[in-house]
């Protein structure tokens, strides 16, 4: 709890063996200025009466010249008038431990020199001093300036709060009369981050300290995640973090943190903004999202409007576009790691928001001093709007609705342990009645429905084992369900019970070598029913051979279990002062294809100058085929794992605090890709496809370490992604190849709590396959398209400006905000594809989303 300290502490020590009387003489140049106040002694230390063998004890006085620093501590002391060597040494030793309230000039602390008379008097034997003091200053790491009035908590070994202080404007503080022993000092630095330090106090002594805040933030933009006792090494060539101060403020995202990932370098724009994660030219299924270290089946609600986890309950988002650590496996694209925030420990907090898209509420707070909980609930409001805007030939049985929830319990049983129990889930549903056939396809008529849901239940335990080993254990279980139907010709219903466990241990072998070992196990019983055409390649398939009505149906009733265990080992070695070497090895097993994979990875980091680093990385990555490709009834269980090699080189430079420049180059080579057999004949898929992806990324991040009135991003990606579907097939463009991706975002806080920001994107259009003719199918009375060469045409350049305006009012104990988030602010009609007429003789551009304004109100407790 933050408190103001409004009293000056004056301590009078009544000694019984020697007594000191003090007089102050401020230097003449200080006396001339009327606004200067001299130092005031607040901590007196009793000097030991010197032993004088063979002599009678006498009274004596020693005059000292003492220099008191701006922090109130003694920086210099010398003898001005001696009383003999023994008395001089005793007086000097005691005076060095004095603590003063510093001298001030116009209320600002200054250094001052004073004359102090230390008098030794003969009294009764002194009483023993049984307490200690903690004195010091809190500074900012970037320039050693005072951190200001930060809160300081001091806890004893029983985790009891014994002092609750607020540092002065100059960053100084004093905690008096503390029992000897070990204490935990918590510095609550707000935007500069918190700091936890252990101190040991000795009776009769002043422990003098200086704490510096913001060092981690300055060194690397690693967000505000919880820091383990033994930090994991940086295990990747490129890691990009969105910290919690910016998660909900990026224009065009409606305050949704996970939508902001699309603005990072290397992330392609999905058509219609539907929420696919397309990383460095890889297919969406080649990348994976994690929440607190556990994979999740989806990260966005349908349509990509909103993510499935409330942004006000997140701590940070880490994005690894390639060359990621062996901690992550089973994917060849990129990794998105979402870290949730621990509940508040001080008091009850909450957020409630309503907009034209959805509404949500969150609450969090402590139950006891060791247990805290948080929870959130969100529901869409689209079902109130959609029936009014749906075309007349579409009957709405179930308007689009999404719901998600979050619950978290944080338990701190001991100083070595942290236990977290969490539950979160998502449910989306839409049902339509199509009175007319869609696109003149007689099969797509009648009931159309889409439903997805998942419910995760997780427990993780972090423990310090012994003095040097950190242990992390996590276990998650929960069902995932999907229902998708198009008329009578296509139906998919599936239930997956995902069970996932992870264990990791970190151990520093020496001060230069750290070892990380771990294992993770993924298992999922599957119950799936499928009715529809024979599954084909998901990417590079052109028009997919036209109508559902013209394709032969297949039936699949699947009841099986996927089992994917893995072990990994990683070492972090410091070779001298400038080089860091990270070696990793991961081994996976994929039960659905009965195959092992072994993936070595290597990253090297060179510190070439202060604030400047060069990173090089290479690694092998493996991924199992998709379920429909390896299932025994509709696919080929004899496929090999998909393999990829990542080569990466990065340069980053912290030009000044709060500004980072980066350049990254990358190359990926893919092999053993599953490709469809000609005419869809058994075994339907074979191993034989390859791919290549290469490019460069340029980025500038502006995040001021102080003040934080603004922040911004500027990034540009130049890349090319190609595929080859067999030894005799030509190279072709990937479905989501985007040569140029330019993104700029900037947010500024104006006076009176106004905040205005904008995001601009300029992106190459996606490739598409032209239709060069058609064949009439008399049996089904439809035209079947004839494709040209795959992905030889491209949609026009995409451009969009998003704007966000927010006004905030701050009241005692709560805040109110009104915001307007506008996507596609100038309503540009971007082409997302092509629509053909019934016989494919004419075509019309398929336009993207128009201007979408979202007005909302939010209250924060």
């Amino acid at each position: 709890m933050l408190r103001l300290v409004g009293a000056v502490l004056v301590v009078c020590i009544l000694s019984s063996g020697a007594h000191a009387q003090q007089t102050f003489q401020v230097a003449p140049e200080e006396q001339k200025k009327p606004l200067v106040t001299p130092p005031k002694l607040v901590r007196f230390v009793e000097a030991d009466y010197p032993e004088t063998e063979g002599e009678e004890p006498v009274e004596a006085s020693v005059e000292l010249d003492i220099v008191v620093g701006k922090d109130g501590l003694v920086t210099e002391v010398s003898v001005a008038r001696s009383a003999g060597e023994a008395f001089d040494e005793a007086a000097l030793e005691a005076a060095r431990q004095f603590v003063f309230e510093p001298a001030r000039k116009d209320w600002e602390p200054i250094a001052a020199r004073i004359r102090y008379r230390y008098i030794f008097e003969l009294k009764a034997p002194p009483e023993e001093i049984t307490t200690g003091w903690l004195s010091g200053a809190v500074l900012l790491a970037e320039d050693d300036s005072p951190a200001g009035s930060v809160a300081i908590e001091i806890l004893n070994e029983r985790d009891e709060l014994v002092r609750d202080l607020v540092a002065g404007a100059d960053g100084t503080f004093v905690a008096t009369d503390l029992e000897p022993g070990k204490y935990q000092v918590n510095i609550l630095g707000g935007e500069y981050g918190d700091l936890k330090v252990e101190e040991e106090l000795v009776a009769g002594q002043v422990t003098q300290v200086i704490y510096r805040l913001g060092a981690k933030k300055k060194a690397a933009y690693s967000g505000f995640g919880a820091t383990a006792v033994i930090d994991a090494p940086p295990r990747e060539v490129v890691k990009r973090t969105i910290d919690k101060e910016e998660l909900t403020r990026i224009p065009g995202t409606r305050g949704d943190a996970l939508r902001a990932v699309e603005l990072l370098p290397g992330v392609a724009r999905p058509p219609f903004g539907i929420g696919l994660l397309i990383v460095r030219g890889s297919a969406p299924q080649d990348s994976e999202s994690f929440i607190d270290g556990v994979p999740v089946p989806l990260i966005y609600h349908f349509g990509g409007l909103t993510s499935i986890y409330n942004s006000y309950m997140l701590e940070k988002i880490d994005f690894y576009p390639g060359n990621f650590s062996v901690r992550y496996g089973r994917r060849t694209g990129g990794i998105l790691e979402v870290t949730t925030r621990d509940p508040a420990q001080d008091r009850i907090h909450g957020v409630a928001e309503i907009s034209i898209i959805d509404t949500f509420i969150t609450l969090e707070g402590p139950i006891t001093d060791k247990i805290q909980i948080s929870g959130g609930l969100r529901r869409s409001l689209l079902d109130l709007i959609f029936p009014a805007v749906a075309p007349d030939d579409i009957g709405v049985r179930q308007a689009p609705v999404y719901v998600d929830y979050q619950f978290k319990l944080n338990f701190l049983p001991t100083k070595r342990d942290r236990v977290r129990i969490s539950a979160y889930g998502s449910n989306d549903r839409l049902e339509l009645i199509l009175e007319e056939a869609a696109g003149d396809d007689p099969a797509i008529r009648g009931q159309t429905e889409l439903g997805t849901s998942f419910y995760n239940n997780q427990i993780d335990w972090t423990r310090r084992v012994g003095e040097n080993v950190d242990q992390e254990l996590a276990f998650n279980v929960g069902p995932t369900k999907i229902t998708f139907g198009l008329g009578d010709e296509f139906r998919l219903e599936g239930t997956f019970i995902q069970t996932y466990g992870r264990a990791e241990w970190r151990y520093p072998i020496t001060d230069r070598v750290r070892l990380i070992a771990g294992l993770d196990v993924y298992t999922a019983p599957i119950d799936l029913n499928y009715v529809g055409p024979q599954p084909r390649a998901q990417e590079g398939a052109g028009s997919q051979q036209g109508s559902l009505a013209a394709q032969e149906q297949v039936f699949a009733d699947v009841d099986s279990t996927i089992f994917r265990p893995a072990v990994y080992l990683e070492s972090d070695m410091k070779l001298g002062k400038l080089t860091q070497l990270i070696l990793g090895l991961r081994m996976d097993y994929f039960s659905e294809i009965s195959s092992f994979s072994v993936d070595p990875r290597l990253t090297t980091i060179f510190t070439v100058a202060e604030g400047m680093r060069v990173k090089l990385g290479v690694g092998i990555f493996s991924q199992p085929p998709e379920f429909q490709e390896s299932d025994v009834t509709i696919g080929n269980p004899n496929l090999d794992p998909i393999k990829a090699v990542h080569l990466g080189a990065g340069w980053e430079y912290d030009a000044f605090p709060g500004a980072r420049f980066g350049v990254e180059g990358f190359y990926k080579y893919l092999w053993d890709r599953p490709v469809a057999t000609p005419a869809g004949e058994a075994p339907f898929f074979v191993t034989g496809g390859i791919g290549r992806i290469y490019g460069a990324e340029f980025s500038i991040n502006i995040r001021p370490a102080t003040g934080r009135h603004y922040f911004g991003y500027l990034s540009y990606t130049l890349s090319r992604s190609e595929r080859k579907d067999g030894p005799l097939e030509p190279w072709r463009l990937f479905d989501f190849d985007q040569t140029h991706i330019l993104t700029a975002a900037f947010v500024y806080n104006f006076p009176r709590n106004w905040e205005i920001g904008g995001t601009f994107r300029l992106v190459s259009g996606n490739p598409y396959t032209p239709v060069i003719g058609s064949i009439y199918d008399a049996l089904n009375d439809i035209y079947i398209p004839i494709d040209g060469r795959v992905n030889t045409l491209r949609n026009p350049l995409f451009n969009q400006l998003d704007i966000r305006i927010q006004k905030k009012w701050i009241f005692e104990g709560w805040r109110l905000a009104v915001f307007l988030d506008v996507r596609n602010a100038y309503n540009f009609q971007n082409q997302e594809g092509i629509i053909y007429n019934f016989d494919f003789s004419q075509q019309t551009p398929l336009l993207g989303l128009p201007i979408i304004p979202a007005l909302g109100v939010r209250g924060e407790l």
Side-chain angles (χ1 to χ4, degrees), residues 646-666:
H646 290 198
L647 297 172
W651 170 88
E652 59 187 23
Y653 176 48
D654 298 330
F656 51 87
R660 167 166 291 185
F661 299 85
V663 178
E664 289 84 30
F666 59 89

Side-chain angles (χ1 to χ4, degrees), residues 813-852:
W814 68 289
R815 292 178 291 181
L816 178 68
V818 176
F819 63 87
L820 176 64
D821 196 290
V822 184
R823 295 185 65 181
N824 196 7
Y826 49 76
N827 198 27
F828 191 83
Q829 295 183 330
N830 290 291
Q831 178 178 314
E832 297 282 12
I834 297 294
I835 302 175
Y836 294 91
N837 68 338
F838 72 100
D839 64 354
F840 298 92
S841 62
Q842 298 178 4
Q843 63 182 39
T844 303
L846 175 62
L847 300 180
L849 297 176
I851 183 173
I852 302 178

Side-chain angles (χ1 to χ4, degrees), residues 60 201 293 345 357 385 454 651 660 828:
L201 303 186
Q345 300 184 29
I357 304 296
I385 303 172
F454 80 93
W651 170 88
R660 167 166 291 185
F828 191 83

Side-chain angles (χ1 to χ4, degrees), residues 140 142 191-192 217 249 703-710 749:
L140 299 181
E142 59 182 6
E191 63 180 294
Y192 305 108
K217 185 173 182 182
R249 301 164 57 195
R703 303 178 183 179
T706 59
R708 300 190 66 84
H709 294 299
Y710 60 89
N749 288 320

Side-chain angles (χ1 to χ4, degrees), residues 379-394:
R379 186 191 189 278
S380 68
L381 303 179
L382 296 174
D383 53 325
L384 305 179
I385 303 172
F386 186 78
V389 300
D392 295 336
D393 58 348
I394 297 180

Side-chain angles (χ1 to χ4, degrees), residues 499-819:
T499 303
Y500 181 84
R502 178 189 294 275
E504 184 172 287
W505 297 269
R506 300 172 183 158
Y507 174 66
I509 299 176
T510 70
D511 59 347
R512 291 184 172 272
V513 180
R514 292 184 290 184
L515 187 66
I516 299 173
L519 60 91
D520 65 78
V521 179
Y522 174 91
T523 180
I526 298 174
D527 182 7
L528 183 142
N529 294 287
Y530 172 75
V531 177
Q534 171 62 43
R536 305 287 293 167
Q538 293 184 326
E539 190 273 329
S543 64
Q544 292 285 345
Q545 302 302 314
S547 169
L548 285 175
Q551 301 185 55
E552 182 179 353
Q553 285 188 325
V554 298
F555 303 86
D557 186 2
V558 179
D559 185 5
S560 64
T561 299
I562 292 176
F563 179 60
R564 298 172 181 170
V567 294
Y568 57 89
L569 184 67
E570 193 167 55
S571 66
D572 171 27
M573 295 177 286
K574 295 181 179 179
L575 308 178
K577 296 182 179 181
L578 304 179
T579 305
Q580 187 174 5
L581 182 66
I582 302 164
L583 298 172
L585 184 68
R586 180 182 176 96
M587 184 173 70
D588 284 273
Y589 175 73
F590 309 115
S591 67
E592 61 268 43
I593 55 175
S594 301
S595 291
F596 287 92
S597 69
V598 178
D599 299 338
R601 300 172 195 174
L602 166 67
T603 298
T604 305
I605 303 173
F606 302 96
T607 303
V608 296
E610 184 178 358
M612 184 182 297
R613 292 162 295 279
V614 173
K615 300 181 180 182
L616 305 174
V618 60
I620 304 294
F621 300 80
S622 302
Q623 176 177 323
E626 293 299 299
F627 175 78
Q628 71 275 9
E629 296 169 341
S630 61
D631 179 71
V632 66
T633 56
I634 55 177
N636 181 4
N638 296 316
L639 296 174
D640 294 329
I642 305 168
K643 307 290 285 187
V645 60
H646 290 198
L647 297 172
W651 170 88
E652 59 187 23
Y653 176 48
D654 298 330
F656 51 87
R660 167 166 291 185
F661 299 85
V663 178
E664 289 84 30
F666 59 89
Y667 176 83
K668 298 187 207 178
Y669 183 79
L670 316 176
W671 70 95
D672 287 346
R673 291 178 45 247
V675 294
T677 57
E681 299 176 350
F684 311 118
F685 295 94
V686 295
T687 297
I690 59 176
R692 61 190 182 194
I693 306 164
Y694 49 91
E697 299 163 354
F698 308 87
S699 62
I700 301 174
N701 291 348
I702 304 296
R703 303 178 183 179
T706 59
R708 300 190 66 84
H709 294 299
Y710 60 89
F711 66 89
Y713 306 88
L714 177 64
S715 67
Y716 170 69
T717 301
L718 175 67
S719 67
R720 187 173 181 87
S721 180
E722 298 175 312
R723 301 293 186 272
K724 187 178 173 71
D725 298 325
L728 302 179
E729 297 293 325
W731 285 100
R732 61 169 177 83
L733 289 178
F734 171 60
D735 280 357
F736 298 108
D737 174 72
Q738 295 173 6
T739 307
H740 306 282
I741 305 174
L742 174 68
T743 302
F746 188 77
V747 176
Y748 192 88
N749 288 320
F750 290 89
R752 299 182 180 274
N753 296 314
W754 281 93
E755 183 174 274
I756 300 177
T759 298
F760 178 74
R761 299 200 81 187
L762 187 65
V763 183
S764 298
N766 286 322
Y768 68 91
T769 301
V771 174
I772 58 176
S774 63
I775 300 175
Y776 179 65
D777 180 355
L779 180 63
N780 295 292
D781 191 26
I782 60 171
Y783 285 83
I784 299 175
I786 300 175
D787 287 348
R789 290 187 60 185
V790 176
N791 291 342
T792 52
L793 297 180
R794 188 183 289 274
N795 289 312
L797 196 68
F798 172 94
N799 67 94
Q800 180 172 299
L801 174 66
D802 302 327
I803 295 176
R804 180 179 177 87
I805 302 174
Q806 178 175 276
K807 166 62 176 174
K808 186 181 296 183
W809 293 268
I810 301 176
F811 305 96
E812 185 175 355
W814 68 289
R815 292 178 291 181
L816 178 68
V818 176
F819 63 87

